[in-house]
Amino acid sequence: MTTYPGPATAPPASGGNEILRRDTLDPLTSYAHAYATDGTVHLNGNSLGPPRADLIGELDRVVRGQWPRSQVQAWFRDGWLDLPRTIGDKLAPLLGAAPGQVVVAGETTSTTLFNALVAACRLRADRPVVLVEAASFPTDLYLAASVVRLLGRELVVESAEGFDSFLHTHGARVAVAVASPVDFRTGERREIGPTTARCHAAGAIALWDLSHASGVLPVDLDPSEVDLAIGCGYKYLGGGPGAPAFLYVAARLQPEVDFPLSGWHGHARPFAMAPAFEPAPGIDRGRTGTPPLLSLVALNHALDPLLEVGIDALYRRSRELAGSFLDCLGARRPDLLDRLVSPRDAERRGGHLALRIPGAERIEEELRGRGVLVDSRPPDLIRFAFAPLYVTHVQVQRAVGELCQVVGETP
């Protein structure tokens, strides 16, 4: 187990080095040493972050220890078979959910969203409309369009304001409303509680894509009475490339939810090999096929420090890192700060900021060469994500300095 040092005693802020002081005062700064960053500043954690440095040891424990010793019996002897539910219950506190409502079945984010979206439509079989925000992540739009073709439903795509208006005026026609708490481009937030309440007032199912929020933003699924939610494991959760997605199903819906992907691991008695599908009780009915063990091990390992810190402290740290970015940018290049498209108010955004700068893709490449990883989104957005445990205030200051130089060199 990795151990993390406590907070250092804060020295005076000599030379006005407020940024260094912020790192020194915050005990979460010490966590950064436990990640394999190779000296690079990782500000693209909303796409993929670095692993914990001891991940290889954890994988080695399974590959060298459990697998050769137990072979197929490891599914039972070493708890492999239970990992989808075990990790789901482990993840639940970061999502504001009670145990028994989250499963990591081993599927991709796209597959998990498809499964949830069809199930949501089946819960409201008498309603024709699937409602989605126009600014949703492309996968959400693509899958929603596919599902309505498959089921003979109607797709309605609206702006953020139009989404709420449609629920108010045409909500009786809406089977499911799909939304995200964080705009993947700008970082602007959509409040989960009020939006879910609007869905329920209209009698619609609320389905949330938490991919850009889980692990960095409190989402409070149970208090908000969310129906269904999905999210990926490779962004702020740090589960690694292609980490499996999670599925949340509120306990009140589990007896009636009907998933289209009815694989044998979602069966009530999977090893009975029965010819007819009988859904498992509870959240296990959201499982499908044999889970990808090593991916689950990596995700399980990534969650430990996040749970140790807790979602409120993670959110606080991310906001403060973003604040340092804005402070440094405003002091050095106020003209670039004027290009901010994210909300200035920290309460109205998630874990990343976005600047609108021409030549964004080229600037991303230039920064990569300088040891600062960000990502761009067409046509001209550069995103800076502030994952709370492996990014420091000093690194943020360095990133701003490199950005100012690169933009200054841009013709």
Side-chain angles (χ1 to χ4, degrees):
M1 176 181 293
T2 303
T3 57
Y4 303 95
T9 303
S14 58
N17 198 337
E18 169 64 16
I19 296 300
L20 178 60
R21 189 186 74 86
R22 293 177 189 179
D23 267 337
T24 306
L25 287 176
D26 192 340
L28 267 60
T29 300
S30 60
Y31 281 77
H33 303 295
Y35 287 84
T37 61
D38 195 30
T40 300
V41 179
H42 289 258
L43 298 184
N44 59 350
N46 53 348
S47 290
L48 177 68
R52 291 172 61 197
D54 57 356
L55 172 60
I56 292 177
E58 178 64 10
L59 292 172
D60 190 68
R61 182 183 69 84
V62 174
V63 174
R64 290 179 182 270
Q66 296 177 349
W67 186 355
R69 182 192 71 236
S70 302
Q71 297 186 41
V72 71
Q73 288 302 312
W75 287 107
F76 309 95
R77 182 182 299 165
D78 295 306
W80 291 2
L81 202 61
D82 296 328
L83 271 180
R85 189 175 59 252
T86 300
I87 298 174
D89 284 343
K90 186 174 182 177
L91 175 59
L94 294 176
L95 305 176
Q101 299 178 105
V102 181
V103 68
V104 183
E107 302 293 341
T108 66
T109 311
S110 300
T111 306
T112 306
L113 177 57
F114 172 84
N115 217 18
L117 188 50
V118 173
C121 288
R122 288 175 172 177
L123 287 168
R124 295 293 184 270
D126 59 334
R127 293 177 170 222
V129 170
V130 173
L131 176 63
V132 188
E133 272 196 52
S136 296
F137 192 80
T139 293
D140 297 30
L141 296 169
Y142 304 159
L143 282 171
S146 178
V147 166
V148 298
R149 292 197 306 272
L150 179 70
L151 301 180
R153 304 293 180 95
E154 174 188 347
L155 179 63
V156 173
V157 180
E158 290 280 358
S159 67
E161 297 77 14
F163 183 97
D164 295 336
S165 176
F166 192 91
L167 277 173
H168 178 71
T169 57
H170 303 289
R173 302 181 64 237
V174 177
V176 53
V178 184
S180 300
V182 179
D183 185 305
F184 81 99
R185 292 184 178 89
T186 68
E188 185 169 2
R189 286 181 63 175
R190 170 178 279 280
E191 294 294 337
I192 292 179
T195 301
T196 299
R198 284 191 285 271
C199 291
H200 290 172
I205 296 292
L207 170 55
W208 289 90
D209 181 350
L210 306 177
S211 295
H212 287 85
S214 49
V216 74
L217 185 70
V219 293
D220 296 329
L221 297 183
D222 283 356
S224 298
E225 299 185 329
V226 166
D227 300 310
L228 300 167
I230 65 97
C232 70
Y234 46 81
K235 296 185 189 297
Y236 292 108
L237 294 181
F246 62 84
L247 167 71
Y248 165 90
V249 183
R252 68 183 183 279
L253 294 178
Q254 289 176 11
E256 57 180 315
V257 70
D258 180 14
F259 292 108
L261 301 178
S262 47
W264 74 299
H265 278 249
H267 196 282
R269 294 169 290 109
F271 293 96
M273 304 297 174
F277 184 73
E278 176 189 344
I283 193 63
D284 276 340
R285 67 178 53 199
R287 297 176 63 165
T288 49
T290 304
L293 177 72
L294 298 182
S295 293
L296 289 173
V297 169
L299 176 58
N300 188 44
H301 179 260
L303 292 177
D304 287 337
L306 302 178
L307 287 161
E308 183 176 310
V309 170
I311 192 61
D312 291 333
L314 293 169
Y315 178 46
R316 185 269 304 167
R317 170 78 171 187
S318 180
R319 289 173 56 181
E320 290 175 359
L321 289 167
S324 288
F325 182 92
L326 295 175
D327 290 345
C328 291
L329 191 62
R332 291 196 58 166
R333 290 286 298 273
D335 59 312
L336 290 182
L337 185 58
D338 288 340
R339 294 180 174 271
L340 181 71
V341 297
S342 305
R344 293 287 184 102
D345 182 357
E347 296 288 339
R348 295 182 50 231
R349 63 174 187 256
H352 73 274
L353 297 169
L355 300 178
R356 192 177 301 281
I357 304 177
E361 186 174 353
R362 194 182 78 81
I363 292 170
E364 176 190 350
E365 294 174 1
E366 292 278 351
L367 287 173
R368 185 186 308 122
R370 293 167 174 259
V372 177
L373 298 182
V374 299
D375 61 14
S376 58
R377 289 293 179 264
D380 55 5
L381 287 183
I382 303 179
R383 304 189 306 172
F384 305 84
F386 303 97
L389 294 190
Y390 52 79
V391 177
T392 68
H393 292 277
V394 170
Q395 289 177 341
V396 168
Q397 185 181 47
R398 173 187 161 192
V400 170
E402 299 291 358
L403 173 66
C404 292
Q405 291 190 43
V406 168
V407 173
E409 294 170 2
T410 302

